[in-house]
């Protein structure tokens, strides 16, 4: 266990599978206890927690709707049972395809409430503990479409672009408190996808990954884990792309 992570706890939203699960395991390997969140996938959350405990650390699971502020409170309460909150990874997101001229205000708000409002609520719930400790790591998971644009996903694109703005705002406001905030932007990753997610390949980029393949959740998680570590204190306010070269800022 590294000194900077000693006795600290990580909260990971949307951790029942894919990047969230891989991140939970990666942070467990660095010595962090982990609070695993899922909206309703109890089986998936418990499997992630099992894999976390196999790394020799503790895990808690919390199920709930992140657009309800009470879920953020439940997450922080569960974390405090294990120790001081040191890491928040805002990974939970929904992706749906709807042509802009058919998109309702309710559909627009439904996406932004999960992809953006939930990150706000969770950061609000954790930030006081981090300030008090003089140390913290916030990593928001972005999306390639937030940088390239996409058709049929105006709500998703907007939410992912806004996550970068939130990241920069948190980085600036809490730099003097020992807290960093960064955004990890996955490209084309091999993941299990729900039926509402729609087809892959909606981003407007033309070239695809330079490396000629999709990435893995573990490759994204490795970057997240690095940003959550004690040696990453000089990296903040950044959007770091894990896309195999598909996008060059």
């Amino acid at each position: 266990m590294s000194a900077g992570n000693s006795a600290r706890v990580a909260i990971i939203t949307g951790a029942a599978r894919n990047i969230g699960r891989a991140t939970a395991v990666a942070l467990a390997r660095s010595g962090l206890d982990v609070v695993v969140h899922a909206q309703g996938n109890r089986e998936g959350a418990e499997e992630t927690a099992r894999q976390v405990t196999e790394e020799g650390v503790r895990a808690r699971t919390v199920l709930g709707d992140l657009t309800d502020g009470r879920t953020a409170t439940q997450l922080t309460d569960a974390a405090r049972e294990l120790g001081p909150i040191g890491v928040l990874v805002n990974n939970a997101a929904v992706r749906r395809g709807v042509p802009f001229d058919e998109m309702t205000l309710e559909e627009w708000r439904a996406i932004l409430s999960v992809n953006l409002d939930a990150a706000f609520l969770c950061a609000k719930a954790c930030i006081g503990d981090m300030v008090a400790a003089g140390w913290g790591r916030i990593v928001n998971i972005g999306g390639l479409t937030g940088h390239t644009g996409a058709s049929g996903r105006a709500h998703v694109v907007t939410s992912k672009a806004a996550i970068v703005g939130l990241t920069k705002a948190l980085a600036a406001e809490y730099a003097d408190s020992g807290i960093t905030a960064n955004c990890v932007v996955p490209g084309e990753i091999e993941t299990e996808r729900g039926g509402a997610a729609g087809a892959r390949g909606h981003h407007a980029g033309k070239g695809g990954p330079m490396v000629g393949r999709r990435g893995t959740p573990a490759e994204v998680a490795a970057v997240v884990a690095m940003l959550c570590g004690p040696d990453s204190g000089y990296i903040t306010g950044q959007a770091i792309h894990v896309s195999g070269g598909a996008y060059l800022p």
Side-chain angles (χ1 to χ4, degrees):
M1 180 183 296
S2 60
N5 286 347
S6 179
R8 299 192 188 277
V9 183
I11 296 172
I12 307 171
T13 67
R17 59 181 183 172
N18 296 332
I19 291 171
R21 175 177 290 173
T23 298
V25 174
L27 293 179
R29 286 176 182 155
S30 74
L32 291 166
D33 295 322
V34 179
V35 176
V36 175
H37 163 266
Q39 178 167 340
N41 185 355
R42 180 179 299 277
E43 182 179 355
E46 290 178 349
E47 173 58 22
T48 299
R50 185 191 67 77
Q51 292 185 28
V52 165
T53 57
E54 284 185 345
E55 301 298 330
V57 298
R58 297 172 295 172
R60 297 286 187 274
T61 60
V62 173
L63 302 183
D65 179 358
L66 288 173
T67 66
D68 183 336
R70 290 173 293 185
T71 300
T73 300
Q74 292 170 355
L75 288 168
T76 54
D77 287 346
R80 291 176 189 133
E81 292 176 1
L82 300 174
I85 300 169
V87 171
L88 169 65
V89 180
N90 284 310
N91 171 68
V94 288
R95 300 169 184 84
R96 296 176 187 141
V98 181
F100 182 73
D101 60 350
E102 298 176 11
M103 188 178 297
T104 65
L105 181 58
E106 290 73 20
E107 288 171 324
W108 170 270
R109 287 175 171 168
I111 295 296
L112 267 71
S113 67
V114 176
N115 294 4
L116 183 60
D117 295 351
F120 164 79
L121 290 169
C122 289
K124 281 274 288 183
C126 293
I127 202 71
D129 293 59
M130 294 179 178
V131 170
W135 196 95
R137 301 286 186 261
I138 298 172
V139 178
N140 299 316
I141 304 301
L144 188 58
T145 61
H147 300 264
T148 65
S151 61
R153 293 192 174 190
H155 44 8
V156 176
V157 171
T158 301
S159 68
K160 289 303 186 179
I163 278 289
V164 177
L166 175 62
T167 299
K168 292 178 178 180
L170 292 173
E173 190 160 345
Y174 293 100
D176 292 340
S177 299
I179 298 166
T180 66
N182 290 288
C183 181
V184 171
V185 185
E188 298 179 9
I189 307 298
E190 289 290 358
T191 57
E192 299 176 22
R193 296 161 65 85
R200 298 182 189 270
H202 279 249
H203 66 84
K206 301 298 183 183
M210 289 181 180
V211 299
R213 64 172 177 85
R214 294 186 184 275
T216 67
E219 289 174 313
V220 179
V223 177
V224 176
M226 179 274 292
L227 293 171
C228 293
D231 299 325
S232 64
Y234 205 57
I235 306 171
T236 195
Q238 303 303 304
I240 299 175
H241 290 254
V242 186
S243 63
Y247 178 77
L248 302 180

